[in-house]
């Protein structure tokens, strides 16, 4: 949902100063990380409990799969900003053959793994095809985009700031029913929000980008995240 807004912002900035594309991609990674990683971690901690409450106890066997897929859905996060850089430079078609290769690898792994391992095999096929092809795709894409920023250290700090939100999951064996699950989710989300505010993640550059981005609720976000 953010893609159109961010693409527009990056395109405008790139038009003014093409040398900043790599830096803009690094900013996009940070924005995506703040938006997606907390949701993924909450899902990994509580998706199975929520699934049973929403759809009944017959869905309990799917709980572990829901928790795992909460994290697997982070995989596109790795390649979306690079794809945006290609789009800005009108070079998105360059990686199409590698996209087809990843699809082919995924299908081959599905055939090999699903009959023997069922759902875990399907999960493994998705992860393995990503690990095998995506690094090649990113490296190839950078031939057309030029150097890009990958804020690994910042994302590590983000994970550390969010980690207190996983502490309520230690009480999982005793959490059951609407009230306790909702309470646990609320406490987890609150601890993550506090970690974001006091984790020192939003510096002058991030504050400037957020302030000038056409994002809904940006004032509220800045008010909470910036001390």
């Amino acid at each position: 949902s953010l893609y159109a807004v961010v693409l527009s912002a990056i395109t405008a900035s790139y038009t003014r100063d093409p040398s900043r594309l790599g830096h803009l991609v690094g900013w996009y990674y940070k924005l995506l990380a703040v938006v997606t990683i907390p949701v993924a971690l909450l899902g990994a901690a509580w998706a199975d409990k929520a699934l049973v409450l929403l759809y009944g106890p017959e869905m309990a066997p799917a709980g572990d799969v829901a928790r795992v897929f909460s994290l697997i859905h982070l995989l596109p996060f790795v390649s979306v900003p690079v794809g945006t850089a290609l789009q800005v430079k009108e070079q998105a078609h360059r990686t199409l053959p590698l996209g087809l290769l990843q699809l082919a690898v995924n299908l081959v792994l599905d055939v090999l793994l699903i009959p023997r391992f069922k759902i875990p095999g399907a999960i493994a096929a998705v992860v393995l095809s990503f690990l095998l092809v995506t690094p090649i795709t990113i490296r190839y894409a950078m031939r057309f985009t030029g150097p890009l920023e990958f804020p690994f250290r910042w994302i590590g700090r983000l994970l550390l700031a969010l980690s207190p939100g996983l502490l309520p999951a230690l009480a999982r064996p005793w959490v059951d029913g609407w009230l306790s699950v909702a309470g646990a989710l609320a406490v987890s989300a609150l601890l993550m929000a506090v970690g974001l505010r006091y984790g020192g993640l939003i510096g002058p550059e991030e504050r400037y980008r957020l302030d000038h981005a056409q994002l809904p609720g940006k004032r509220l976000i800045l008010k909470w995240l910036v001390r």
Side-chain angles (χ1 to χ4, degrees), residues 3 7 21 79-100 137-138 140-145:
Y3 181 76
L7 177 61
L21 180 61
S79 54
V80 165
V82 178
T84 301
L86 286 170
Q87 187 77 18
V88 168
K89 299 199 71 170
E90 299 182 348
Q91 298 291 329
H93 62 283
R94 299 288 188 177
T95 56
L96 178 59
L98 288 168
L100 295 175
T137 302
I138 291 175
Y140 180 71
M142 289 174 65
R143 293 175 58 183
F144 305 99
T145 64

Side-chain angles (χ1 to χ4, degrees), residues 167-222:
L167 292 176
L170 296 174
R172 280 176 47 84
W174 301 279
V175 175
D176 195 16
W178 281 100
L179 186 60
S180 59
V181 172
L185 270 169
V187 172
S188 292
L190 178 61
L191 289 173
M192 288 184 180
V194 171
L196 287 173
R197 180 172 175 82
Y198 293 98
L201 296 165
I202 307 300
E205 173 68 18
E206 290 79 20
R207 189 182 303 120
Y208 174 83
R209 290 295 171 193
L210 278 173
D211 194 40
H212 288 77
Q214 300 298 317
L215 297 176
K218 66 179 181 182
R219 297 297 177 188
L220 181 61
I221 295 171
L222 282 168

Side-chain angles (χ1 to χ4, degrees), residues 25-65:
V25 167
W27 169 77
Y28 192 11
Y29 270 114
K30 292 178 181 180
L31 177 63
L32 279 180
V34 170
V35 171
T36 60
I37 292 178
V39 177
L41 293 179
L42 287 174
W46 302 110
D48 57 334
K49 301 287 186 180
L51 195 65
V52 170
L53 290 176
L54 290 171
Y55 300 106
E58 63 274 11
M59 292 299 294
D64 289 338
V65 176

